[in-house]
Amino acid sequence: MTNKTLTDFEKQIAELEKLIDNLKQKALDTGVNTSEALEELQKKRDDLLKEFFSNLDAWDNAILARHQKRPYTLDYVRNIFDEFIELHGDRLFADDHAMVCGIGNIEDKQVAFIGQQKGRDLKERQYRNFGSAKPEGYRKAMRVMHLAEKFHKPIVCFVDTPAADCSVGAEERGISEAIARNMMDMMSLKVPVIAIVIGEGGSGGAIGIAVANKVAMLEHSIYSVIPPEGCAAILWRDPSKAKEAATALKINAESAKELGVIDDIIKESLGGAHRNADETAENIKEYILKCIEELSPKTGDELAKERYDKFRNFGKYIEN
Amino acid sequence: MAWFNIENKKVKNAAQNLPDGIWTKCPGCNEILFNKDLEKTLKVCPKCGYHFKLTFQERINIFFDENTWEENNTNLETGNPLDFPEYDIKIKKGILKSGLKDSVVTGHGKVRGHLVSCAISDFNFMGGSMGSVAGEKIVRTIEYGIENKLPVIIFTASGGARMQEGILSLMQMAKTSGAVLKMNEAGLPFIIIMTDPTTAGVHASYASLGDVIFAEPGALIGFAGARVSAQAGVGNTSKPDDFQKPSFQLSHGLIDGIVHRKDLRKVVAKFISFAMEGEK
Ligand SMILES: [Zn+2]
């Protein structure tokens, strides 16, 4: 493990990239051949990235998963889907901007998508409620999933939420019921369901749209029963011990795979998804297509049964 | 690192919500109550109606027809699948405090003559939290009900999913919610009694999926536990006086009723007869 924090490291990389840009500009402005120096700097940058990223701990992944430049659900949807349209509203109360749903094409496959959506700047963050969906968001998601089932189309869920909304209003409208019902109803869906944790897989807010035949995590995403800060606050009365909590909770993708709760890990671009969103989107797209190909030949009953059996067996205990 | 060290705190002797001694001060009205009197009133304050928490054994004694309860799934024990710091000692403390191997007791017994499959969570074992064992036992209780065509009743008392089993605990939410689907497919009644407290991962899974949901008076019920709310800043916004209380749940349409402990058997038996008797 290196002592440098991810944030410091990214500053160092940013300085290198500034030099690289300057060199490129110099070449344009003066016609001087800078390609050798340029190659050297680029190699240095990539080597540094490779080295640093081969030693990430769980907390580094939490920082990456919450990175302010990290691609969000709609970034991937725009990149991966053709002719997509958003579908709004739960038909009961409101349209939740923290949960986006719609339909679109991935190559020749017609697919429904669901996902939590975070905002980039302060205004959008508030508009998206920081990616924390309310009951109406979960109910909209379930409505669109039932729509996909009615028309025999696969469902892709993008998970990216710090937690479900826990405001007074969310409690009044039954946030617990909405999440619980989603998990139950998703068990019965007779179409392929694929869930991908692309950033933060925050507790009940995440699993409320992640009961799927195939569950994957992006390489640097996190999936956790409680935010590391919350865990540290409760167990050690000290939120600053979040790094220790992240390690103890095993919130990173590799640990989730070892514990058997996810099927696959999807590679991100070197240095994290935000450094090359297109490349990461391409990996996601390939993964979705591979899953659809594998799941499509199965009958609806088989899909529901396999999904149920998979979740039925989660847990580790001693039986005497 | 310091926090890996095992705590040296004293473990409390017995599985009791009532302090040792002959009297108890009611948290509801500050009245001094004799423990012997409290036992006669099912641990409900005769003056203000405050419902004290029950141990699993007290619940069994109060709820089931005499000598009809039989425990099952006693062979399941909790390991430490994540090697989570201090978890082993917390399990040991929970065992000492509750007399249980984990937070959920399961079995079958009769309520006014109706045989039911039942799970009871006991707050004395790590706050009734749900890890792998609790999740598995809830599912097996439901499966036992389906195999034997019995109603299933669950008494919830839980702060939520158990942190120390990380993502495995989160998966118990989906696992237990899925089992309720099988109950629905089998056309059997699934009855939830929310006792103090029913929050977070348990509230946001099987507890909210009952065909009928009844709450004991005074129970704290909600998605966000108190500390999580504080962290998320919910504490800063104005909350109604009865926020996360049964009257709040009832007025927002989230539960079927608030039922006094002395009336639970009657209400549950009525629903079972509605669900199980007559033309199918
Ligand atoms: Zn009282």
Side-chain angles (χ1 to χ4, degrees):
Chain A
M1 223 187 308
T2 117
N3 290 321
K4 199 175 279 176
T5 68
L6 182 74
T7 318
D8 290 339
F9 175 73
E10 287 209 313
K11 273 184 202 142
Q12 187 192 350
I13 294 293
E15 276 161 25
L16 265 176
E17 292 195 319
K18 211 173 174 185
L19 288 178
I20 291 168
D21 284 345
N22 286 345
L23 267 181
K24 280 184 188 161
Q25 194 58 46
K26 194 176 163 193
L28 278 178
D29 292 347
T30 63
V32 177
N33 186 354
T34 59
S35 59
E36 212 167 296
L38 201 59
E39 255 173 50
E40 204 174 298
L41 277 177
Q42 281 166 336
K43 188 177 179 308
K44 190 179 170 194
R45 176 196 61 192
D46 291 349
D47 288 349
L48 277 171
L49 279 169
K50 269 176 211 154
E51 197 207 326
F52 193 90
F53 273 74
S54 64
N55 275 313
L56 293 185
D57 62 20
W59 181 244
D60 290 326
N61 281 315
I63 294 170
L64 283 167
R66 299 162 172 176
H67 200 287
Q68 57 176 352
K69 289 182 182 158
R70 194 164 176 86
Y72 299 142
T73 294
L74 284 177
D75 298 319
Y76 290 128
V77 168
R78 285 188 197 103
N79 202 311
I80 295 168
F81 288 76
D82 297 319
E83 297 176 26
F84 86 89
I85 57 169
E86 238 189 285
L87 302 172
H88 294 277
D90 67 344
R91 301 294 191 269
L92 295 162
F93 181 76
D95 183 42
D96 188 344
H97 305 132
M99 185 80 80
V100 293
C101 305
I103 56 170
N105 301 354
I106 305 181
E107 289 183 351
D108 62 339
K109 308 278 188 239
Q110 304 219 52
V111 176
F113 67 86
I114 310 288
Q116 287 104 351
Q117 178 67 31
K118 293 182 178 177
R120 196 71 58 196
D121 57 27
L122 185 63
K123 206 174 146 199
E124 202 200 344
R125 266 181 227 155
Q126 282 168 342
Y127 179 75
R128 299 295 184 184
N129 195 30
F130 308 90
S132 288
K134 298 185 168 83
E136 45 273 26
Y138 290 94
R139 288 172 185 141
K140 169 168 73 172
M142 204 61 236
R143 180 177 78 82
V144 171
M145 286 191 264
H146 279 138
L147 205 62
E149 183 182 38
K150 179 175 174 180
F151 300 110
H152 314 287
K153 299 295 186 292
I155 299 161
V156 179
C157 302
F158 296 98
V159 178
D160 190 15
T161 182
D165 184 84
C166 61
S167 63
V168 173
E171 294 271 9
E172 285 173 340
R173 297 190 295 281
I175 183 67
S176 286
E177 194 274 350
I179 288 171
R181 187 161 301 277
N182 273 25
M183 292 187 291
M184 182 172 76
D185 285 355
M186 285 183 84
M187 291 283 183
S188 72
L189 290 168
K190 303 250 191 297
V191 293
V193 185
I194 300 150
I196 302 167
V197 182
I198 58 168
E200 282 185 278
S203 194
I207 188 80
I209 59 164
V211 178
N213 296 87
K214 292 279 181 190
V215 182
M217 287 173 74
L218 280 188
E219 194 181 355
H220 303 302
S221 65
I222 55 172
Y223 202 0
S224 183
V225 70
I226 184 168
E229 293 88 344
C231 177
I234 292 171
L235 283 186
W236 305 305
R237 317 237 168 230
D238 184 359
S240 69
K241 286 194 172 158
K243 190 178 162 78
E244 286 90 335
T247 307
L249 287 164
K250 300 197 191 296
I251 62 175
N252 52 322
E254 243 169 80
S255 297
K257 183 134 196 298
E258 277 165 25
L259 288 165
V261 301
I262 63 165
D263 300 287
D264 298 287
I265 297 171
I266 301 172
K267 272 275 184 201
E268 295 184 20
S269 50
L270 181 61
H274 60 288
R275 293 188 58 85
N276 192 339
D278 290 350
E279 185 188 326
T280 309
E282 191 57 36
N283 295 344
I284 294 176
K285 180 178 166 181
E286 261 174 47
Y287 181 75
I288 295 171
L289 286 170
K290 192 189 87 177
C291 289
I292 292 177
E293 196 180 335
E294 184 186 326
L295 297 172
S296 289
K298 297 178 194 283
T299 68
D301 287 337
E302 280 169 352
L303 288 165
K305 185 179 183 306
E306 284 178 13
R307 197 181 311 119
Y308 181 82
D309 291 343
K310 170 196 180 91
F311 282 81
R312 167 67 187 83
N313 292 321
F314 282 151
K316 292 194 190 298
Y317 50 82
I318 301 158
E319 186 157 22
N320 297 312
Chain B
M1 274 181 274
W3 55 273
F4 275 99
N5 292 338
I6 287 165
E7 275 183 275
N8 279 320
K9 281 182 192 160
K10 273 191 186 166
V11 178
K12 275 184 201 146
N13 288 335
Q16 290 302 323
N17 295 303
L18 300 181
D20 296 336
I22 53 163
W23 55 267
T24 300
K25 191 173 172 182
C26 173
C29 67
N30 290 328
E31 181 84 353
I32 306 295
L33 305 164
F34 281 99
N35 288 351
K36 274 206 173 128
D37 290 344
L38 257 184
E39 249 130 67
K40 278 180 220 149
T41 57
L42 314 177
K43 285 177 87 173
V44 177
C45 171
K47 197 178 165 210
C48 75
Y50 178 86
H51 280 51
F52 287 81
K53 285 191 182 78
L54 297 183
T55 65
F56 77 95
Q57 194 59 57
E58 288 166 335
R59 176 65 68 188
I60 289 165
N61 294 345
I62 284 174
F63 187 72
F64 288 100
D65 300 350
E66 217 174 324
N67 297 324
T68 61
W69 173 261
E70 254 182 72
E71 193 180 339
N72 56 22
N73 300 313
T74 53
N75 56 337
L76 299 183
E77 278 177 39
T78 298
N80 187 354
L82 268 60
D83 285 323
F84 199 97
E86 295 167 35
Y87 187 28
D88 298 292
I89 192 77
K90 287 202 165 104
I91 294 167
K92 282 188 191 126
K93 279 186 190 178
I95 292 171
L96 280 174
K97 198 177 173 196
S98 67
L100 294 170
K101 290 180 189 165
D102 206 293
S103 62
V104 171
V105 181
T106 65
H108 44 86
K110 285 184 178 172
V111 189
R112 291 193 161 189
H114 299 283
L115 186 61
V116 303
S117 176
C118 178
I120 301 166
S121 50
D122 191 321
F123 194 73
N124 286 307
F125 193 103
M126 291 187 75
S129 57
M130 175 165 67
S132 297
V133 168
E136 179 69 20
K137 287 180 89 166
I138 295 290
V139 172
R140 288 193 189 186
T141 301
I142 292 171
E143 288 171 348
Y144 185 88
I146 293 168
E147 275 159 35
N148 296 283
K149 298 191 170 61
L150 298 176
V152 173
I153 301 176
I154 302 182
F155 290 90
T156 57
S158 174
R162 186 173 298 165
M163 282 181 293
Q164 290 84 350
E165 291 185 32
I167 192 82
L168 294 174
S169 296
L170 186 65
M171 293 303 130
Q172 304 309 307
M173 291 173 65
K175 170 172 164 168
T176 54
S177 299
V180 182
L181 176 74
K182 301 292 164 188
M183 201 66 196
N184 292 342
E185 286 170 0
L188 291 162
F190 183 60
I191 301 164
I192 292 291
I193 314 293
M194 292 184 178
T195 77
D196 187 39
T198 299
T199 59
V202 167
H203 191 240
S205 61
Y206 66 89
S208 287
L209 296 171
D211 289 317
V212 286
I213 301 170
F214 298 110
E216 281 200 340
L220 180 80
I221 299 167
F223 177 65
R227 276 184 285 202
V228 173
S229 298
Q231 271 240 319
V234 177
N236 306 331
T237 62
S238 66
K239 285 187 244 180
D241 289 340
D242 67 345
F243 184 59
Q244 295 188 328
K245 287 293 178 185
S247 58
F248 174 91
Q249 300 291 330
L250 186 66
S251 68
H252 291 290
L254 300 166
I255 60 172
D256 291 278
I258 306 165
V259 180
H260 193 287
R261 198 168 278 164
K262 70 175 163 49
D263 298 326
L264 266 180
R265 278 167 51 82
K266 185 176 74 185
V267 171
V268 167
K270 174 65 215 157
F271 184 73
I272 292 173
S273 100
F274 172 82
M276 303 292 285
E277 290 165 10
E279 300 274 322
K280 282 275 172 187

